[in-house]
Amino acid sequence: LFSQFAIDGFLKGEISQMVMAYFCKIPEDTMPENFQGFLKREIPYADIIEVTDGETFIHQLLSGLTCLLIDGYEEIVAIDLREYPSRSVDEPETDKVLRGSRDGFLESVIPNAALIRRRIRDVNLQFRIFKVGKSSRTDVALAYMKGKVDEEDIAKIVEKLEGIPVNALTMNQESLAEMLFPRKWWNPFPKFKYTERPDTASACLLEGSIAIIVDNSPAVMILPTSLFSILEDANDYYFPPITGTYLRFTRMATAIAALFVTPLFVLFMNHPDWLPDGWEILLLSE
């Protein structure tokens, strides 16, 4: 006797019928005596998880796995047949490039990790999954290149992820960012760099940065970051190094000019007597 439990929306009806039809065809007299024998004989290739307690059963069920209860066995088998409702990996609207790939991150952790793994086929690329939020149990993946990052930094981030006292990540990555590094009034600059492009995230990982992927968010957090990194553009990676560096410096000079020139202009317009001799040409005439 088999009983199947699944959340509607994570599993297509056709697949559910095929799974149950397969298990119902197993003759009762040929059932193995123990659970491990059943797994080796009847489910040799599927992605499965052995469940031995009720709390794990509820967690795996609410995560979208198909749980199969078998008469005669104390254990429960959780089969990963999930198909999340998602859009295609189209290029992000706000981060387009003239040259390069045309794919972008989705709102799911596993496909996002696969997009990065597709570009970095190295055993040193590590992914660590965490559950954040007492109610939401949001999947958060920590990605980094082993040997290129400081292990103390990884340990600090892991400690913070495991000890976040939050009920739910209602705003996804922004909620997580505020919990990891609370904003301080004397530091207005962002502490993270956000990207929706897998190629940009892969390039940052190869440079020694750390990426944090949050479920239900199409953007990846890159840290540590600097003002120079925040001002860079995705097109910079597809230009020669000299051209890309020149464009970054130009963009930074423009940002600094916009930050200081406008208030100085307003100041001198209100106090024209403060202008040095020969600078009166900057004043507006009626």
Side-chain angles (χ1 to χ4, degrees):
L1 179 61
F2 298 92
S3 298
Q4 177 181 334
F5 293 86
I7 300 296
D8 188 18
F10 289 102
L11 179 66
K12 290 185 178 180
E14 298 82 359
I15 298 178
S16 177
Q17 293 177 4
M18 291 175 61
V19 170
M20 289 305 298
Y22 170 78
F23 286 116
C24 290
K25 290 181 180 179
I26 301 176
E28 185 176 353
D29 55 351
T30 61
M31 289 287 292
E33 297 181 357
N34 53 55
F35 184 74
Q36 296 298 329
F38 175 80
L39 294 182
K40 293 180 181 179
R41 177 177 173 180
E42 304 296 345
I43 319 178
Y45 303 114
D47 186 5
I48 60 174
I49 298 175
E50 182 179 345
V51 180
T52 57
D53 59 271
E55 182 179 355
T56 306
F57 164 71
I58 295 176
H59 171 68
Q60 297 296 344
L61 179 63
L62 295 178
S63 297
L65 275 70
T66 301
C67 295
L68 191 67
L69 279 68
I70 307 171
D71 189 22
Y73 299 143
E74 296 182 356
E75 299 86 353
I76 301 173
V77 55
I79 309 175
D80 192 354
L81 302 173
R82 292 174 291 187
E83 290 190 6
Y84 289 110
S86 62
R87 54 184 175 84
S88 60
V89 290
D90 294 331
E91 185 178 15
E93 293 292 336
T94 59
D95 205 2
K96 293 182 178 292
V97 294
L98 300 176
R99 293 177 293 180
S101 60
R102 304 295 179 182
D103 55 351
F105 285 125
L106 304 176
E107 287 80 7
S108 182
V109 170
I110 302 302
N112 291 345
L115 289 173
I116 296 177
R117 175 65 71 180
R118 181 182 179 183
R119 290 167 169 81
I120 306 178
R121 301 175 183 179
D122 193 336
V123 295
N124 293 320
L125 177 60
Q126 304 289 321
F127 289 94
R128 300 179 65 176
I129 305 295
F130 301 89
K131 302 290 184 182
V132 179
K134 296 180 181 179
S135 297
S136 63
R137 304 293 293 171
T138 305
D139 292 326
V140 177
L142 181 67
Y144 60 93
M145 291 294 296
K146 187 177 181 180
K148 290 190 176 184
V149 297
D150 191 349
E151 294 297 333
E152 294 183 0
D153 294 338
I154 297 295
K156 291 179 181 179
I157 296 176
V158 170
E159 182 180 359
K160 290 186 176 182
L161 288 174
E162 293 178 342
I164 291 179
V166 66
N167 186 52
L169 296 179
T170 53
M171 300 304 294
N172 300 326
Q173 60 188 6
E174 187 60 31
S175 300
L176 181 63
E178 292 295 334
M179 297 300 299
L180 289 176
F181 298 98
R183 192 176 300 276
K184 300 178 180 179
W185 64 269
W186 48 265
N187 185 9
F189 299 103
K191 303 177 180 63
F192 300 93
K193 172 186 175 182
Y194 297 96
T195 180
E196 297 185 28
R197 298 189 58 86
D199 51 358
T200 302
S202 301
C204 292
L205 287 173
L206 292 174
E207 293 171 357
S209 298
I210 302 171
I212 298 181
I213 309 172
V214 183
D215 197 23
N216 301 317
S217 175
V220 170
M221 293 190 297
I222 306 295
L223 67 153
T225 188
S226 63
L227 186 60
F228 189 76
S229 299
I230 293 173
L231 291 176
E232 69 183 4
D233 187 76
N235 287 288
D236 296 343
Y237 290 96
Y238 293 98
F239 288 116
I242 296 179
T243 305
T245 304
Y246 165 74
L247 292 175
R248 292 184 189 182
F249 275 117
T250 304
R251 203 175 295 117
M252 180 174 292
T254 304
I256 294 175
L259 182 64
F260 290 101
V261 171
T262 302
L264 286 176
F265 178 76
V266 175
L267 178 65
F268 288 134
M269 286 295 296
N270 294 328
H271 301 277
D273 54 310
W274 292 2
L275 277 173
D277 295 338
W279 290 75
E280 292 81 2
I281 191 174
L282 297 177
L283 298 177
L284 294 178
S285 57
E286 296 181 1

